[in-house]
Amino acid sequence: MQKESKSLSSLYFLIAILVAVIAYSVFTYFNQKRIMKKLTEEEFRAGYRKAQLIDIREPNEFDGGHILGARNLPLSQMRQRYKELRTDQPIYLYCQNETRSGRAAQLLHKKGYTDINCLKGGFKQWSGRIKKK
């Protein structure tokens, strides 16, 4: 009887952890959707020349190919370097596939940035001109 009780409480604990992870994921998804506008490639092309175009991938990824005119500001350095971005101009972010862009947008939003945009599908969906080092 005691063994059953112990395994049942372990099961409840695991279910609680699972529910917490799902709730956090749902909250993060809707929060990112609220603070960051996901743009199609056409919409991204239409506005990125008048904005701060930021590639948030790591330097080795950036050197392997990036959108022409992009500046590399890796997500791993964003907390230290976010002040390099202007608050009065739109920010166009992209990473490999959107995941890191969402995290960067959350951080920038907390620091007071409001016009944050992201390339839907990330760099792997980009069909335009790129530059390689």
Side-chain angles (χ1 to χ4, degrees):
M1 188 75 165
Q2 192 176 16
K3 196 174 186 180
E4 281 181 27
S5 176
K6 194 172 188 178
S7 63
L8 195 57
S9 57
S10 293
L11 178 64
Y12 288 146
F13 179 74
L14 289 174
I15 290 172
I17 295 287
L18 183 61
V19 167
V21 168
I22 291 170
Y24 176 77
S25 297
V26 168
F27 171 78
T28 300
Y29 171 79
F30 285 108
N31 190 40
Q32 287 176 1
K33 197 170 181 167
R34 181 179 58 83
I35 63 176
M36 173 182 75
K37 188 174 181 187
K38 290 185 182 183
L39 304 175
T40 64
E41 184 175 339
E42 295 76 32
E43 294 168 327
F44 199 83
R45 280 180 201 266
Y48 83 87
R49 286 190 175 88
K50 298 176 189 136
Q52 302 169 88
L53 178 58
I54 309 299
D55 183 326
I56 60 167
R57 299 174 303 154
E58 292 303 312
N60 62 326
E61 295 173 286
F62 182 80
D63 292 346
H66 57 270
I67 298 174
L68 202 58
R71 198 165 92 206
N72 188 218
L73 184 60
L75 179 61
S76 62
Q77 300 172 17
M78 188 69 70
R79 288 192 191 285
Q80 295 80 28
R81 297 181 54 194
Y82 73 90
K83 289 182 182 177
E84 295 175 22
L85 300 174
R86 296 177 54 168
T87 55
D88 63 335
Q89 288 184 341
I91 297 173
Y92 277 50
L93 301 171
Y94 72 91
C95 62
Q96 196 63 23
N97 60 16
E98 270 185 61
T99 306
R100 289 177 276 183
S101 295
R103 284 188 258 155
Q106 285 179 302
L107 187 142
L108 292 171
H109 182 73
K110 286 178 186 173
K111 300 296 184 184
Y113 295 85
T114 54
D115 194 352
I116 306 169
N117 304 275
C118 150
L119 176 60
K120 188 181 266 183
F123 183 70
K124 69 180 182 183
Q125 298 295 322
W126 181 255
S127 64
R129 290 182 51 190
I130 63 169
K131 182 178 179 181
K132 291 184 180 183
K133 283 196 174 185

